Amino acid sequence: MPRFMDVHTIAGGVTEEAVAGAHAADLATQAAHDVHYLKYWVDGEAGKIFCLVDAPDAEAANTVHREAHGLVADEIYRVTEHE
């Protein structure tokens, strides 16, 4: 399955707690769309959130965000993992 990294920008910053809540909502919603959120990273001061997700396509990943909490990604990139 393709892997994607999405980027959210929240004006004014974001708290770790708020992102954890949104991630929990993603996990509760993902199965209906054949999506699997793997990890996320937060830069609270900059209001940046990065999500790593396996999904059939970028739109499926964004659909989970939309349905779970409404915070769709500003950018989504298809990525491959390298060690």
Side-chain angles (χ1 to χ4, degrees), residues 13-67:
V14 65
T15 66
E16 298 271 342
E17 294 80 15
V19 177
H23 181 68
D26 288 333
L27 296 180
T29 307
Q30 67 185 0
H33 301 283
D34 195 26
V35 170
H36 184 223
Y37 276 89
L38 303 167
K39 289 186 171 186
Y40 67 93
W41 296 264
V42 180
D43 179 339
E45 285 185 30
K48 295 286 188 181
I49 306 162
F50 306 87
C51 303
L52 186 63
V53 57
D54 288 338
D57 54 45
E59 185 52 38
N62 237 359
T63 295
V64 172
H65 283 326
R66 187 178 302 107
E67 289 181 7

